[in-house]
Amino acid sequence: MTKLSLKERMLIGRHPMGAQAPDDRIQNFAEVNLGYSAQIAVEEAQRCLECKDAPCSQSCPVNVKIPQFITRIVAGDNLGAVDTILEDNLLPAICGRVCPQENLCESQCVLGKKGKPVAIGNLERYAADTTLDLRSKREELVKAEPSGKKVALIGSGPASLACAGDLARMGHDVTVYEALHAFGGVLIYGIPEFRLPKSIVSYEINSLKRVGVKFEKNIIIGKTLTINELMKEQGVDAIFIGAGAGLPNFLGIPGEELIGIYSANELLTRVNLMKAYQAESVTPVLDFHGKTIAVFGGGNTAMDSARTALRLGAAKVYIIYRRTADEMPARREEVIHAEEEGIEFVFLAAPLEFSGDEKGWLKSVRLQCMELGEPDAGGRRRPVPIEGSEYSLDIDMAVIAIGNGANPLLRDSPGLKFTKRYTLEVNPETLETTSKGIFAGGDIVTGGATVISAMGAGRKAAQSIDHYLNSLQ
Ligand code: FAD
Protein backbone atom coordinates (compact mmCIF):
# COMPACT_ATOMS: atom_id res chain seq x y z
CA MET A 1 0.00 0.00 0.00
CA THR A 2 1.40 3.44 -0.92
CA LYS A 3 2.15 5.56 2.08
CA LEU A 4 -0.03 8.66 2.44
CA SER A 5 1.56 12.08 2.85
CA LEU A 6 1.17 13.91 6.14
CA LYS A 7 -1.36 16.23 4.55
CA GLU A 8 -3.40 13.35 3.15
CA ARG A 9 -3.48 11.65 6.55
CA MET A 10 -4.67 14.79 8.26
CA LEU A 11 -7.58 15.07 5.83
CA ILE A 12 -9.06 11.73 6.93
CA GLY A 13 -11.74 12.13 9.61
CA ARG A 14 -11.99 9.86 12.66
CA HIS A 15 -14.09 6.74 12.03
CA PRO A 16 -16.79 6.06 14.60
CA MET A 17 -17.39 2.45 15.56
CA GLY A 18 -20.67 0.88 14.52
CA ALA A 19 -23.05 0.04 17.36
CA GLN A 20 -26.41 -1.64 17.89
CA ALA A 21 -29.23 0.92 17.56
CA PRO A 22 -30.30 2.23 21.00
CA ASP A 23 -33.89 0.94 20.71
CA ASP A 24 -32.64 -2.55 19.86
CA ARG A 25 -29.81 -2.80 22.33
CA ILE A 26 -31.85 -1.92 25.40
CA GLN A 27 -33.79 -5.14 24.70
CA ASN A 28 -30.72 -7.36 24.96
CA PHE A 29 -27.40 -7.85 26.76
CA ALA A 30 -25.31 -8.40 23.60
CA GLU A 31 -22.30 -6.17 23.05
CA VAL A 32 -23.25 -2.62 22.03
CA ASN A 33 -20.16 -1.84 19.94
CA LEU A 34 -19.72 -3.87 16.78
CA GLY A 35 -16.02 -3.37 15.96
CA TYR A 36 -14.29 -2.04 12.84
CA SER A 37 -14.30 -3.72 9.43
CA ALA A 38 -10.86 -4.29 7.86
CA GLN A 39 -11.35 -1.35 5.49
CA ILE A 40 -12.37 1.10 8.21
CA ALA A 41 -9.56 -0.08 10.48
CA VAL A 42 -6.91 0.52 7.82
CA GLU A 43 -8.36 3.96 7.00
CA GLU A 44 -8.37 4.89 10.67
CA ALA A 45 -4.85 3.53 11.14
CA GLN A 46 -3.67 5.67 8.22
CA ARG A 47 -4.52 8.77 10.27
CA CYS A 48 -1.64 8.08 12.66
CA LEU A 49 1.21 10.55 12.11
CA GLU A 50 3.76 8.07 13.55
CA CYS A 51 5.19 10.74 15.88
CA LYS A 52 8.78 9.88 16.82
CA ASP A 53 8.35 10.77 20.50
CA ALA A 54 4.95 8.97 20.60
CA PRO A 55 3.20 11.05 23.29
CA CYS A 56 0.35 8.51 23.12
CA SER A 57 2.65 5.69 24.30
CA GLN A 58 4.12 7.86 27.01
CA SER A 59 0.69 8.48 28.50
CA CYS A 60 -0.25 4.77 28.49
CA PRO A 61 0.32 3.27 31.97
CA VAL A 62 1.98 0.22 30.37
CA ASN A 63 3.60 2.17 27.48
CA VAL A 64 2.11 0.17 24.60
CA LYS A 65 4.08 0.93 21.41
CA ILE A 66 1.11 2.59 19.78
CA PRO A 67 2.49 4.02 16.49
CA GLN A 68 4.29 0.71 15.86
CA PHE A 69 1.17 -1.45 16.26
CA ILE A 70 -0.90 0.96 14.17
CA THR A 71 1.70 0.79 11.37
CA ARG A 72 1.27 -3.01 11.31
CA ILE A 73 -2.51 -2.57 10.83
CA VAL A 74 -1.86 -0.28 7.84
CA ALA A 75 0.34 -3.05 6.41
CA GLY A 76 -2.50 -5.59 6.91
CA ASP A 77 -0.39 -7.49 9.47
CA ASN A 78 -2.90 -7.80 12.32
CA LEU A 79 -0.93 -10.56 14.06
CA GLY A 80 2.15 -8.33 14.01
CA ALA A 81 -0.01 -5.54 15.43
CA VAL A 82 -1.33 -7.63 18.32
CA ASP A 83 2.12 -9.07 19.03
CA THR A 84 3.46 -5.52 19.34
CA ILE A 85 0.69 -4.73 21.85
CA LEU A 86 1.24 -7.99 23.75
CA GLU A 87 4.84 -7.03 24.47
CA ASP A 88 3.45 -4.49 26.97
CA ASN A 89 -0.21 -5.34 27.49
CA LEU A 90 -1.44 -8.90 27.96
CA LEU A 91 -5.13 -8.03 27.60
CA PRO A 92 -5.58 -6.06 24.35
CA ALA A 93 -9.13 -7.21 23.55
CA ILE A 94 -10.16 -6.09 27.05
CA CYS A 95 -8.26 -2.78 27.15
CA GLY A 96 -9.40 -1.90 23.62
CA ARG A 97 -12.94 -2.06 25.02
CA VAL A 98 -12.73 -0.57 28.51
CA CYS A 99 -9.68 1.71 28.83
CA PRO A 100 -10.52 5.40 29.35
CA GLN A 101 -8.51 6.27 26.22
CA GLU A 102 -9.79 9.86 26.20
CA ASN A 103 -7.85 10.51 29.42
CA LEU A 104 -4.78 8.45 28.47
CA CYS A 105 -3.32 7.69 25.02
CA GLU A 106 -5.88 9.57 22.92
CA SER A 107 -5.64 12.67 25.11
CA GLN A 108 -2.03 13.13 23.95
CA CYS A 109 -2.56 12.36 20.24
CA VAL A 110 -1.20 15.26 18.18
CA LEU A 111 -4.22 15.07 15.83
CA GLY A 112 -6.43 15.82 18.83
CA LYS A 113 -4.97 19.33 19.14
CA LYS A 114 -6.85 20.58 16.07
CA GLY A 115 -9.35 17.81 15.43
CA LYS A 116 -10.12 14.33 16.67
CA PRO A 117 -7.42 11.96 17.93
CA VAL A 118 -6.70 8.62 16.28
CA ALA A 119 -9.17 6.03 17.63
CA ILE A 120 -6.40 4.08 19.37
CA GLY A 121 -8.72 1.98 21.54
CA ASN A 122 -10.84 0.93 18.57
CA LEU A 123 -7.71 -0.09 16.66
CA GLU A 124 -6.37 -2.05 19.63
CA ARG A 125 -9.67 -3.90 19.83
CA TYR A 126 -9.57 -4.56 16.06
CA ALA A 127 -6.03 -5.99 16.20
CA ALA A 128 -6.98 -8.22 19.14
CA ASP A 129 -10.38 -9.40 17.88
CA THR A 130 -9.19 -10.32 14.40
CA THR A 131 -6.36 -12.49 15.72
CA LEU A 132 -8.12 -14.46 18.47
CA ASP A 133 -8.15 -17.67 16.40
CA LEU A 134 -4.56 -17.30 15.25
CA ARG A 135 -3.35 -16.66 18.79
CA SER A 136 -5.18 -19.64 20.26
CA LYS A 137 -3.45 -21.98 17.79
CA ARG A 138 0.05 -21.10 18.94
CA GLU A 139 2.11 -20.98 22.11
CA GLU A 140 1.04 -17.63 23.60
CA LEU A 141 4.21 -16.56 25.37
CA VAL A 142 7.82 -17.67 25.37
CA LYS A 143 8.43 -19.46 28.70
CA ALA A 144 11.80 -19.51 30.44
CA GLU A 145 13.30 -22.60 32.10
CA PRO A 146 11.42 -23.55 35.33
CA SER A 147 12.87 -21.62 38.25
CA GLY A 148 11.57 -24.03 40.92
CA LYS A 149 10.00 -21.07 42.75
CA LYS A 150 6.30 -20.90 43.67
CA VAL A 151 4.21 -17.74 43.63
CA ALA A 152 0.61 -17.40 44.87
CA LEU A 153 -1.56 -14.56 43.59
CA ILE A 154 -4.60 -13.49 45.59
CA GLY A 155 -7.53 -12.42 43.41
CA SER A 156 -7.92 -12.87 39.65
CA GLY A 157 -8.54 -9.29 38.50
CA PRO A 158 -6.39 -7.50 35.91
CA ALA A 159 -3.60 -6.77 38.44
CA SER A 160 -3.09 -10.46 39.21
CA LEU A 161 -3.62 -11.56 35.60
CA ALA A 162 -0.90 -9.21 34.34
CA CYS A 163 1.41 -10.23 37.19
CA ALA A 164 0.74 -13.96 36.64
CA GLY A 165 1.43 -13.69 32.90
CA ASP A 166 4.82 -12.07 33.42
CA LEU A 167 5.82 -14.43 36.25
CA ALA A 168 4.92 -17.49 34.17
CA ARG A 169 6.94 -16.07 31.28
CA MET A 170 9.87 -15.78 33.71
CA GLY A 171 9.58 -19.52 34.49
CA HIS A 172 7.98 -19.39 37.95
CA ASP A 173 5.28 -21.79 39.16
CA VAL A 174 2.23 -19.53 39.44
CA THR A 175 -1.20 -20.15 41.05
CA VAL A 176 -4.02 -17.60 41.14
CA TYR A 177 -6.50 -18.00 44.05
CA GLU A 178 -9.95 -16.46 43.56
CA ALA A 179 -12.69 -16.11 46.19
CA LEU A 180 -15.50 -16.18 43.62
CA HIS A 181 -16.49 -19.03 41.29
CA ALA A 182 -15.34 -17.21 38.14
CA PHE A 183 -12.04 -15.58 37.21
CA GLY A 184 -11.41 -12.01 36.05
CA GLY A 185 -12.31 -9.79 39.04
CA VAL A 186 -14.35 -6.74 38.03
CA LEU A 187 -13.88 -7.72 34.37
CA ILE A 188 -16.23 -10.64 34.96
CA TYR A 189 -18.44 -9.70 37.93
CA GLY A 190 -18.65 -5.90 37.45
CA ILE A 191 -18.48 -4.83 33.81
CA PRO A 192 -21.62 -5.98 31.97
CA GLU A 193 -21.73 -8.33 28.99
CA PHE A 194 -22.95 -5.50 26.72
CA ARG A 195 -19.63 -3.72 27.26
CA LEU A 196 -17.18 -6.59 27.71
CA PRO A 197 -18.34 -10.06 26.63
CA LYS A 198 -17.50 -12.82 29.11
CA SER A 199 -16.08 -14.87 26.19
CA ILE A 200 -13.31 -12.27 25.77
CA VAL A 201 -12.38 -12.47 29.46
CA SER A 202 -12.43 -16.31 29.34
CA TYR A 203 -10.23 -16.25 26.24
CA GLU A 204 -7.56 -14.26 28.06
CA ILE A 205 -7.79 -16.50 31.16
CA ASN A 206 -7.36 -19.55 28.88
CA SER A 207 -4.32 -17.92 27.24
CA LEU A 208 -2.74 -17.72 30.70
CA LYS A 209 -3.68 -21.34 31.43
CA ARG A 210 -1.93 -22.35 28.22
CA VAL A 211 1.34 -20.89 29.50
CA GLY A 212 1.01 -22.80 32.73
CA VAL A 213 -0.72 -20.37 35.11
CA LYS A 214 -2.91 -22.41 37.49
CA PHE A 215 -6.27 -21.06 38.69
CA GLU A 216 -8.07 -22.09 41.91
CA LYS A 217 -11.60 -20.81 42.46
CA ASN A 218 -13.81 -20.59 45.58
CA ILE A 219 -10.79 -20.03 47.82
CA ILE A 220 -10.90 -16.99 50.07
CA ILE A 221 -7.40 -16.22 51.21
CA GLY A 222 -7.64 -15.11 54.82
CA LYS A 223 -10.55 -17.53 55.43
CA THR A 224 -10.29 -20.80 53.47
CA LEU A 225 -6.50 -20.57 53.50
CA THR A 226 -4.39 -18.01 55.35
CA ILE A 227 -1.31 -16.27 54.00
CA ASN A 228 0.69 -18.12 56.62
CA GLU A 229 -0.65 -21.47 55.40
CA LEU A 230 0.22 -20.56 51.82
CA MET A 231 3.79 -19.80 52.85
CA LYS A 232 4.35 -22.61 55.37
CA GLU A 233 2.16 -25.50 54.14
CA GLN A 234 1.97 -24.89 50.42
CA GLY A 235 5.65 -23.96 50.11
CA VAL A 236 4.96 -20.64 48.38
CA ASP A 237 8.06 -18.43 48.02
CA ALA A 238 6.31 -15.11 47.27
CA ILE A 239 2.78 -13.71 47.21
CA PHE A 240 1.07 -11.03 45.13
CA ILE A 241 -2.09 -9.49 46.58
CA GLY A 242 -4.46 -8.22 43.90
CA ALA A 243 -7.62 -8.35 46.00
CA GLY A 244 -9.17 -5.20 44.50
CA ALA A 245 -11.68 -2.73 45.91
CA GLY A 246 -14.95 -4.62 46.10
CA LEU A 247 -16.51 -3.28 49.26
CA PRO A 248 -19.39 -0.97 48.29
CA ASN A 249 -19.71 2.49 49.83
CA PHE A 250 -23.16 3.60 50.98
CA LEU A 251 -24.73 7.03 51.27
CA GLY A 252 -25.35 6.77 55.02
CA ILE A 253 -28.71 8.57 54.81
CA PRO A 254 -32.04 7.70 56.49
CA GLY A 255 -34.10 5.04 54.73
CA GLU A 256 -31.18 3.32 53.01
CA GLU A 257 -32.32 -0.03 54.46
CA LEU A 258 -35.67 0.03 52.56
CA ILE A 259 -36.55 -2.82 50.18
CA GLY A 260 -35.63 -1.94 46.61
CA ILE A 261 -32.27 -0.34 47.35
CA TYR A 262 -29.26 -2.18 45.95
CA SER A 263 -25.54 -1.53 46.04
CA ALA A 264 -24.26 -1.43 42.45
CA ASN A 265 -21.98 -4.31 43.36
CA GLU A 266 -24.83 -6.56 44.37
CA LEU A 267 -26.91 -5.71 41.32
CA LEU A 268 -24.05 -6.14 38.84
CA THR A 269 -22.75 -9.34 40.46
CA ARG A 270 -26.18 -10.96 40.42
CA VAL A 271 -26.72 -9.99 36.82
CA ASN A 272 -23.23 -10.70 35.50
CA LEU A 273 -21.90 -13.59 37.45
CA MET A 274 -25.11 -15.35 38.35
CA LYS A 275 -26.72 -14.67 34.95
CA ALA A 276 -29.83 -13.02 36.40
CA TYR A 277 -30.54 -11.50 32.98
CA GLN A 278 -31.32 -14.87 31.45
CA ALA A 279 -35.01 -15.77 31.43
CA GLU A 280 -34.34 -19.24 32.85
CA SER A 281 -32.07 -17.92 35.63
CA VAL A 282 -32.89 -18.87 39.21
CA THR A 283 -30.85 -15.98 40.64
CA PRO A 284 -33.10 -13.78 42.75
CA VAL A 285 -33.15 -10.22 41.46
CA LEU A 286 -35.93 -7.74 42.16
CA ASP A 287 -38.37 -7.19 39.31
CA PHE A 288 -37.35 -4.08 37.35
CA HIS A 289 -40.20 -4.27 34.80
CA GLY A 290 -42.05 -0.98 34.40
CA LYS A 291 -40.28 0.51 37.44
CA THR A 292 -38.63 3.90 37.96
CA ILE A 293 -35.02 3.55 39.06
CA ALA A 294 -32.59 6.11 40.47
CA VAL A 295 -28.88 5.37 40.24
CA PHE A 296 -26.64 7.52 42.45
CA GLY A 297 -23.10 8.22 41.21
CA GLY A 298 -21.23 9.43 38.12
CA GLY A 299 -18.62 6.76 37.38
CA ASN A 300 -18.50 3.68 35.17
CA THR A 301 -20.29 1.68 37.85
CA ALA A 302 -23.23 4.11 37.79
CA MET A 303 -23.44 3.96 33.97
CA ASP A 304 -23.25 0.14 34.02
CA SER A 305 -25.94 -0.10 36.71
CA ALA A 306 -28.30 2.30 34.94
CA ARG A 307 -27.92 0.57 31.57
CA THR A 308 -28.35 -2.84 33.21
CA ALA A 309 -31.56 -1.69 34.92
CA LEU A 310 -32.88 -0.52 31.55
CA ARG A 311 -32.13 -3.92 30.01
CA LEU A 312 -33.92 -5.63 32.92
CA GLY A 313 -37.09 -3.81 31.86
CA ALA A 314 -37.09 -0.54 33.84
CA ALA A 315 -39.51 2.05 32.41
CA LYS A 316 -37.47 5.07 33.53
CA VAL A 317 -33.90 5.34 34.78
CA TYR A 318 -32.32 8.43 36.35
CA ILE A 319 -28.64 8.93 37.05
CA ILE A 320 -28.41 11.37 39.94
CA TYR A 321 -25.03 13.04 40.42
CA ARG A 322 -24.05 15.81 42.81
CA ARG A 323 -21.69 17.56 40.39
CA THR A 324 -22.06 18.29 36.64
CA ALA A 325 -21.36 16.30 33.46
CA ASP A 326 -17.85 17.79 33.30
CA GLU A 327 -16.80 16.23 36.61
CA MET A 328 -18.24 12.76 35.93
CA PRO A 329 -15.44 10.17 36.12
CA ALA A 330 -17.19 7.70 33.77
CA ARG A 331 -15.71 6.89 30.35
CA ARG A 332 -17.09 9.33 27.81
CA GLU A 333 -18.39 6.62 25.50
CA GLU A 334 -20.46 5.09 28.32
CA VAL A 335 -22.04 8.47 29.09
CA ILE A 336 -22.92 8.99 25.42
CA HIS A 337 -24.33 5.45 25.14
CA ALA A 338 -26.37 5.93 28.33
CA GLU A 339 -27.84 9.18 26.98
CA GLU A 340 -28.65 7.56 23.63
CA GLU A 341 -30.46 4.77 25.48
CA GLY A 342 -32.77 7.30 27.16
CA ILE A 343 -31.26 7.48 30.62
CA GLU A 344 -32.04 10.84 32.22
CA PHE A 345 -29.21 12.64 34.00
CA VAL A 346 -30.05 14.76 37.02
CA PHE A 347 -27.00 16.89 37.80
CA LEU A 348 -26.20 18.97 40.87
CA ALA A 349 -28.49 16.96 43.12
CA ALA A 350 -27.70 14.95 46.25
CA PRO A 351 -29.96 12.51 48.13
CA LEU A 352 -30.99 13.45 51.69
CA GLU A 353 -33.42 10.69 52.63
CA PHE A 354 -35.32 7.71 51.21
CA SER A 355 -38.99 7.15 52.11
CA GLY A 356 -41.02 3.97 51.91
CA ASP A 357 -44.50 2.54 52.41
CA GLU A 358 -45.83 0.71 55.48
CA LYS A 359 -44.43 -2.60 54.14
CA GLY A 360 -40.91 -1.19 53.89
CA TRP A 361 -40.77 -0.76 50.09
CA LEU A 362 -38.98 2.28 48.69
CA LYS A 363 -41.33 4.97 47.35
CA SER A 364 -39.36 8.21 46.95
CA VAL A 365 -36.12 10.07 47.55
CA ARG A 366 -35.73 13.63 48.84
CA LEU A 367 -33.07 15.48 46.89
CA GLN A 368 -31.19 18.70 47.53
CA CYS A 369 -29.92 20.93 44.71
CA MET A 370 -26.21 21.72 44.74
CA GLU A 371 -23.92 24.30 43.19
CA LEU A 372 -20.20 23.99 42.53
CA GLY A 373 -17.82 25.63 44.98
CA GLU A 374 -14.03 25.64 45.31
CA PRO A 375 -11.98 22.68 44.00
CA ASP A 376 -11.32 19.85 46.49
CA ALA A 377 -7.97 18.08 47.08
CA GLY A 378 -8.48 16.10 43.86
CA GLY A 379 -9.01 19.29 41.82
CA ARG A 380 -12.73 18.72 41.18
CA ARG A 381 -15.06 21.53 42.22
CA ARG A 382 -16.79 20.65 45.46
CA PRO A 383 -20.62 20.40 45.44
CA VAL A 384 -22.19 22.85 47.92
CA PRO A 385 -25.84 22.45 49.06
CA ILE A 386 -28.32 25.21 48.17
CA GLU A 387 -30.47 25.92 51.23
CA GLY A 388 -34.24 25.49 50.75
CA SER A 389 -33.87 23.71 47.39
CA GLU A 390 -35.06 20.26 48.53
CA TYR A 391 -37.58 18.35 46.43
CA SER A 392 -38.96 14.84 46.27
CA LEU A 393 -38.72 12.35 43.38
CA ASP A 394 -40.95 9.25 43.19
CA ILE A 395 -38.90 6.12 42.55
CA ASP A 396 -39.44 2.36 42.96
CA MET A 397 -35.84 1.27 43.21
CA ALA A 398 -32.42 2.80 43.85
CA VAL A 399 -28.88 1.69 43.09
CA ILE A 400 -25.98 3.15 45.08
CA ALA A 401 -22.91 3.46 42.86
CA ILE A 402 -20.68 5.89 44.75
CA GLY A 403 -17.45 3.89 44.76
CA ASN A 404 -15.93 0.96 46.59
CA GLY A 405 -13.49 0.50 49.42
CA ALA A 406 -10.62 -1.98 49.56
CA ASN A 407 -11.63 -5.63 50.03
CA PRO A 408 -11.51 -6.32 53.78
CA LEU A 409 -10.75 -10.04 53.93
CA LEU A 410 -7.01 -9.73 54.51
CA ARG A 411 -7.18 -7.00 57.14
CA ASP A 412 -6.30 -9.43 59.95
CA SER A 413 -3.28 -10.93 58.18
CA PRO A 414 -0.21 -10.49 60.39
CA GLY A 415 2.56 -8.26 59.07
CA LEU A 416 0.43 -6.34 56.56
CA LYS A 417 -0.14 -2.63 57.18
CA PHE A 418 -3.24 -0.83 55.95
CA THR A 419 -3.89 2.88 55.45
CA LYS A 420 -6.80 4.75 57.05
CA ARG A 421 -8.81 3.94 53.89
CA TYR A 422 -7.91 0.24 54.36
CA THR A 423 -5.78 0.16 51.23
CA LEU A 424 -2.53 -1.78 51.57
CA GLU A 425 0.71 0.04 52.30
CA VAL A 426 3.48 -0.81 49.83
CA ASN A 427 6.93 0.45 48.92
CA PRO A 428 6.10 2.56 45.83
CA GLU A 429 9.31 1.46 44.06
CA THR A 430 8.95 -2.31 44.51
CA LEU A 431 5.28 -2.73 45.50
CA GLU A 432 6.47 -4.91 48.39
CA THR A 433 4.18 -4.71 51.43
CA THR A 434 5.40 -4.37 54.99
CA SER A 435 5.73 -8.17 55.02
CA LYS A 436 8.81 -9.65 53.31
CA GLY A 437 8.07 -11.54 50.10
CA ILE A 438 4.49 -10.25 49.91
CA PHE A 439 3.77 -7.74 47.17
CA ALA A 440 0.53 -5.97 46.21
CA GLY A 441 -0.93 -3.85 43.40
CA GLY A 442 -4.10 -2.65 41.71
CA ASP A 443 -7.19 -1.32 43.50
CA ILE A 444 -6.23 -2.89 46.86
CA VAL A 445 -3.36 -0.37 46.92
CA THR A 446 -4.75 2.62 45.01
CA GLY A 447 -8.46 2.33 45.79
CA GLY A 448 -10.87 2.07 42.81
CA ALA A 449 -8.94 3.02 39.64
CA THR A 450 -8.69 1.55 36.14
CA VAL A 451 -8.02 -1.78 34.47
CA ILE A 452 -4.85 -0.55 32.81
CA SER A 453 -3.42 0.99 35.99
CA ALA A 454 -4.07 -2.32 37.82
CA MET A 455 -2.31 -4.17 35.01
CA GLY A 456 0.62 -1.73 35.14
CA ALA A 457 0.97 -2.42 38.86
CA GLY A 458 0.78 -6.17 38.27
CA ARG A 459 3.62 -5.98 35.75
CA LYS A 460 5.73 -3.80 38.02
CA ALA A 461 5.22 -6.21 40.92
CA ALA A 462 6.19 -9.16 38.68
CA GLN A 463 9.60 -7.53 38.11
CA SER A 464 10.08 -7.02 41.86
CA ILE A 465 8.92 -10.57 42.68
CA ASP A 466 11.32 -12.02 40.10
CA HIS A 467 14.15 -9.99 41.62
CA TYR A 468 13.16 -11.16 45.12
CA LEU A 469 12.95 -14.82 44.06
CA ASN A 470 16.36 -14.64 42.38
CA SER A 471 17.80 -13.31 45.63
CA LEU A 472 16.67 -16.47 47.52
CA GLN A 473 19.18 -19.31 47.38
P1 FAD B 1 -10.41 -6.55 40.87
O1 FAD B 1 -10.73 -6.47 39.44
O2 FAD B 1 -11.38 -5.98 41.83
O3 FAD B 1 -10.18 -8.08 41.23
C1 FAD B 1 -9.94 -8.49 42.56
C2 FAD B 1 -10.34 -9.95 42.73
O4 FAD B 1 -9.85 -10.42 43.97
C3 FAD B 1 -11.84 -10.17 42.75
O5 FAD B 1 -12.17 -11.15 41.81
C4 FAD B 1 -12.11 -10.64 44.18
O6 FAD B 1 -13.17 -11.58 44.25
C5 FAD B 1 -10.79 -11.29 44.55
N1 FAD B 1 -10.52 -11.33 45.98
C6 FAD B 1 -10.68 -10.33 46.89
N2 FAD B 1 -10.30 -10.73 48.11
C7 FAD B 1 -9.88 -12.02 47.96
C8 FAD B 1 -9.38 -12.99 48.87
N3 FAD B 1 -9.21 -12.71 50.16
N4 FAD B 1 -9.06 -14.23 48.39
C9 FAD B 1 -9.22 -14.52 47.08
N5 FAD B 1 -9.70 -13.63 46.16
C10 FAD B 1 -10.02 -12.40 46.61
N6 FAD B 1 -11.91 0.46 34.74
C11 FAD B 1 -11.61 0.78 33.47
O7 FAD B 1 -10.42 0.99 33.15
N7 FAD B 1 -12.59 0.89 32.51
C12 FAD B 1 -13.89 0.62 32.77
O8 FAD B 1 -14.71 0.73 31.88
C13 FAD B 1 -14.23 0.24 34.11
N8 FAD B 1 -15.51 -0.06 34.42
C14 FAD B 1 -15.81 -0.49 35.68
C15 FAD B 1 -17.11 -0.89 35.97
C16 FAD B 1 -17.43 -1.33 37.24
C17 FAD B 1 -18.83 -1.77 37.52
C18 FAD B 1 -16.43 -1.36 38.26
C19 FAD B 1 -16.76 -1.84 39.65
C20 FAD B 1 -15.14 -0.98 37.98
C21 FAD B 1 -14.81 -0.54 36.70
N9 FAD B 1 -13.50 -0.18 36.36
C22 FAD B 1 -13.19 0.17 35.08
C23 FAD B 1 -12.41 -0.25 37.37
C24 FAD B 1 -11.58 -1.52 37.15
O9 FAD B 1 -12.40 -2.60 36.81
C25 FAD B 1 -10.72 -1.82 38.39
O10 FAD B 1 -9.90 -0.70 38.62
C26 FAD B 1 -9.85 -3.06 38.17
O11 FAD B 1 -10.64 -4.20 37.88
C27 FAD B 1 -8.99 -3.34 39.40
O12 FAD B 1 -8.29 -4.53 39.20
P2 FAD B 1 -7.74 -5.40 40.42
O13 FAD B 1 -7.07 -6.58 39.80
O14 FAD B 1 -6.97 -4.54 41.33
O15 FAD B 1 -9.03 -5.87 41.25
Side-chain angles (χ1 to χ4, degrees):
M1 177 172 298
T2 42
K3 210 165 175 181
L4 299 183
S5 68
L6 208 63
K7 202 168 159 200
E8 285 169 322
R9 295 187 213 191
M10 291 176 79
L11 286 175
I12 309 172
R14 179 174 162 125
H15 297 77
M17 184 175 283
Q20 283 195 70
D23 286 350
D24 294 337
R25 69 192 191 224
I26 59 170
Q27 312 288 337
N28 66 64
F29 274 84
E31 193 172 11
V32 168
N33 281 332
L34 300 174
Y36 276 161
S37 67
Q39 188 196 335
I40 298 289
V42 170
E43 279 177 25
E44 182 62 31
Q46 283 176 320
R47 298 180 67 225
C48 176
L49 303 179
E50 298 170 41
C51 307
K52 286 275 170 296
D53 56 345
C56 48
S57 300
Q58 290 178 35
S59 60
C60 167
V62 294
N63 303 119
V64 169
K65 298 172 199 76
I66 293 167
Q68 287 90 328
F69 97 71
I70 291 182
T71 310
R72 299 315 317 148
I73 293 179
V74 177
D77 175 15
N78 294 353
L79 194 57
V82 83
D83 279 341
T84 306
I85 303 172
L86 286 168
E87 285 172 22
D88 305 294
N89 176 359
L90 265 186
L91 309 174
I94 293 173
C95 291
R97 287 171 164 82
V98 305
C99 258
Q101 291 96 2
E102 70 269 24
N103 301 327
L104 299 170
C105 53
E106 293 183 15
S107 74
Q108 299 303 312
C109 176
V110 171
L111 281 185
K113 293 205 171 116
K114 287 208 174 135
K116 291 195 172 160
V118 174
I120 300 168
N122 292 353
L123 291 173
E124 181 180 30
R125 172 191 163 141
Y126 169 78
D129 283 5
T130 51
T131 52
L132 291 175
D133 276 354
L134 287 171
R135 280 176 58 205
S136 60
K137 287 185 187 126
R138 66 172 191 178
E139 183 80 358
E140 192 72 24
L141 301 166
V142 184
K143 215 175 153 197
E145 285 300 305
S147 69
K149 296 283 187 291
K150 277 174 96 170
V151 186
L153 294 96
I154 304 176
S156 65
S160 290
L161 296 181
C163 189
D166 280 0
L167 289 170
R169 186 166 19 188
M170 293 162 181
H172 304 304
D173 178 346
V174 179
T175 306
V176 175
Y177 294 91
E178 169 56 53
L180 297 172
H181 62 271
F183 303 112
V186 171
L187 304 176
I188 203 85
Y189 81 76
I191 302 180
E193 175 79 13
F194 56 81
R195 224 156 54 79
L196 176 60
K198 312 274 171 259
S199 57
I200 295 285
V201 182
S202 304
Y203 176 93
E204 297 300 1
I205 304 279
N206 285 334
S207 302
L208 289 173
K209 285 183 182 164
R210 292 211 327 273
V211 292
V213 177
K214 288 170 269 181
F215 286 87
E216 298 279 351
K217 60 187 172 187
N218 297 322
I219 296 191
I220 306 173
I221 304 298
K223 300 274 176 210
T224 328
L225 257 180
T226 63
I227 286 187
N228 206 22
E229 284 166 341
L230 276 177
M231 291 283 203
K232 299 265 156 63
E233 292 169 24
Q234 313 274 321
V236 163
D237 300 290
I239 290 180
F240 174 77
I241 303 178
L247 185 69
N249 295 334
F250 285 93
L251 294 162
I253 60 172
E256 210 169 4
E257 72 292 346
L258 288 164
I259 309 167
I261 303 180
Y262 274 106
S263 72
N265 246 29
E266 184 178 353
L267 171 67
L268 293 173
T269 305
R270 280 175 194 254
V271 172
N272 275 317
L273 204 54
M274 299 155 88
K275 302 191 173 71
Y277 61 85
Q278 292 180 349
E280 67 277 18
S281 166
V282 292
T283 303
V285 64
L286 294 177
D287 185 6
F288 283 72
H289 283 99
K291 304 270 170 63
T292 300
I293 321 289
V295 176
F296 296 91
N300 289 318
T301 311
M303 301 306 134
D304 286 344
S305 302
R307 298 172 70 200
T308 294
L310 208 58
R311 284 159 176 77
L312 290 173
K316 174 87 199 162
V317 182
Y318 296 103
I319 286 185
I320 299 178
Y321 182 54
R322 58 196 190 132
R323 293 181 163 101
T324 73
D326 290 343
E327 289 82 30
M328 275 202 301
R331 289 182 78 228
R332 216 174 145 55
E333 184 179 56
E334 312 317 329
V335 177
I336 293 169
H337 280 168
E339 276 170 343
E340 287 172 357
E341 289 170 11
I343 283 162
E344 188 174 326
F345 287 81
V346 180
F347 293 117
L348 291 167
L352 293 175
E353 181 176 19
F354 292 111
S355 302
D357 64 15
E358 64 289 349
K359 290 190 174 150
W361 284 86
L362 177 67
K363 284 289 159 208
S364 67
V365 58
R366 203 153 61 83
L367 298 169
Q368 177 158 48
C369 296
M370 314 294 274
E371 57 189 353
L372 290 183
E374 294 302 310
D376 61 17
R380 284 189 305 172
R381 289 180 67 192
R382 200 187 298 272
V384 180
I386 302 173
E387 288 307 317
S389 63
E390 296 88 351
Y391 66 101
S392 194
L393 184 70
D394 288 344
I395 53 172
D396 304 301
M397 291 163 97
V399 183
I400 317 297
I402 56 165
N404 292 312
N407 269 328
L409 291 160
L410 293 163
R411 280 182 201 165
D412 296 334
S413 301
L416 296 179
K417 220 169 150 192
F418 291 86
T419 65
K420 276 189 200 140
R421 293 167 56 225
Y422 295 112
T423 51
L424 257 174
E425 263 188 43
V426 292
N427 172 335
E429 299 303 320
T430 62
L431 300 190
E432 191 168 22
T433 65
T434 43
S435 193
K436 203 166 167 49
I438 303 183
F439 299 75
D443 282 6
I444 188 71
V445 171
T446 56
T450 60
V451 171
I452 194 77
S453 59
M455 288 178 63
R459 297 207 72 192
K460 187 172 170 178
Q463 291 294 334
S464 303
I465 293 171
D466 185 51
H467 189 73
Y468 170 77
L469 293 174
N470 291 335
S471 72
L472 303 174
Q473 15 63 350

